[in-house]
Amino acid sequence: MSDIQSPKESNTPVSPRVAKTDEQWRTELTPEEFQVLRKAGTERPFTGEYWDTTTEGVYECRACGQELFTSNAKFDAGCGWPSFFAPLAEDRVRYIRDSTLGMVRVEVRCAACDSHLGHVFEGEGFNTPTDQRYCMNSVSLRLKNT
């Protein structure tokens, strides 16, 4: 998705501030969390904890606790995953070109620990300030009530 204005695609490896081995992550995360966060898996739609939540708060990375999105940026995209029109700040996430599954997408990762969060899409016609949909996995997030 080369036309996404705000997110910058990058295949350049970065050094995460939180660096752990797979064995360390396995002891801290459930098997489902590990599969999604560390192996770029995807939870099934309409099954995650936050896909239809309207509770106010801040969504943080389930792996490292970095604040990523606010409930003010969350909207109902009807896709079965939590959707946001923008991250809390651009430096909270990083973007990677993802050409798996026979399509080109932009993967979104936590900038602090390099955990997989989901994908960002653009130009789908949602009535949001950015016309972007950050389609995140619930299992990658934890809602902190404010």
Side-chain angles (χ1 to χ4, degrees):
M1 299 189 88
S2 58
D3 4 324
I4 291 182
Q5 300 300 313
S6 179
K8 306 292 187 261
E9 293 179 34
S10 172
N11 286 320
T12 306
V14 296
S15 297
R17 293 187 307 267
V18 179
K20 299 179 183 182
T21 66
D22 275 355
E23 287 68 37
Q24 289 171 309
W25 284 120
R26 283 183 204 278
T27 64
E28 295 177 20
L29 302 171
T30 68
E32 182 185 22
E33 290 169 348
F34 183 82
Q35 179 59 32
V36 173
L37 288 157
R38 305 311 306 166
K39 298 299 178 187
T42 302
E43 67 192 3
R44 290 187 341 268
F46 304 103
T47 62
E49 182 178 4
Y50 302 123
W51 76 271
D52 63 348
T53 298
T54 57
T55 305
E56 289 188 22
V58 175
Y59 291 85
E60 58 187 23
C61 176
R62 194 172 295 236
C64 73
Q66 173 163 262
E67 294 182 345
L68 301 167
F69 300 94
T70 68
S71 58
N72 293 335
K74 190 172 188 286
F75 70 101
D76 181 5
C79 63
W81 290 280
S83 297
F84 304 87
F85 59 78
L88 183 65
E90 278 299 320
D91 66 347
R92 305 298 174 101
V93 295
R94 74 182 200 95
Y95 306 95
I96 299 175
R97 179 182 171 90
D98 177 1
S99 57
T100 61
L101 304 177
M103 62 182 109
V104 177
R105 305 179 289 176
V106 177
E107 179 185 0
V108 180
R109 291 191 185 184
C110 174
C113 70
D114 202 37
S115 287
H116 173 77
L117 304 171
H119 292 85
V120 61
F121 303 95
E122 179 183 65
E124 296 177 314
F126 289 106
N127 187 20
T128 62
T130 63
D131 195 25
Q132 295 173 337
R133 176 173 57 101
Y134 285 77
C135 183
M136 303 293 100
N137 289 285
S138 288
V139 74
S140 297
L141 306 172
R142 180 174 289 114
L143 177 60
K144 184 171 66 175
N145 295 355
T146 55

